[in-house]
Amino acid sequence: MSGRYRKIDPRFWKDEKITQFDPQDKLITLYLFTGQSNRIGIFSFSPGEAGEDLGMLPQTFAERFRNVRLALNL
């Protein structure tokens, strides 16, 4: 671990869009909010790595990630 401490705002769980997600979609959203970025703030994202980190099959992750993107307008 890098030793950084990141706090998730408790209001995250009460957000109207988040409360409608199922647990796997909430997990993906939280993963996206806490993902790795480099020193200048560029976010590094790999769907394969994310699915592996979250213990999801690639097809399951892809479907769930699509749901999250559509719901959050990403």
Side-chain angles (χ1 to χ4, degrees), residues 26-70:
K26 288 178 184 179
L27 182 61
I28 289 173
T29 305
L30 193 57
Y31 182 88
L32 294 172
F33 286 160
T34 60
Q36 297 298 312
S37 61
N38 64 16
R39 289 181 181 214
I40 60 173
I42 296 175
F43 184 71
S44 174
F45 178 74
S46 162
E49 184 177 0
E52 188 175 306
D53 287 347
L54 298 175
M56 294 181 191
L57 295 172
Q59 185 177 14
T60 302
F61 178 81
E63 181 181 319
R64 299 265 180 207
F65 181 58
R66 181 179 179 277
N67 292 343
V68 169
R69 286 185 304 138
L70 292 174

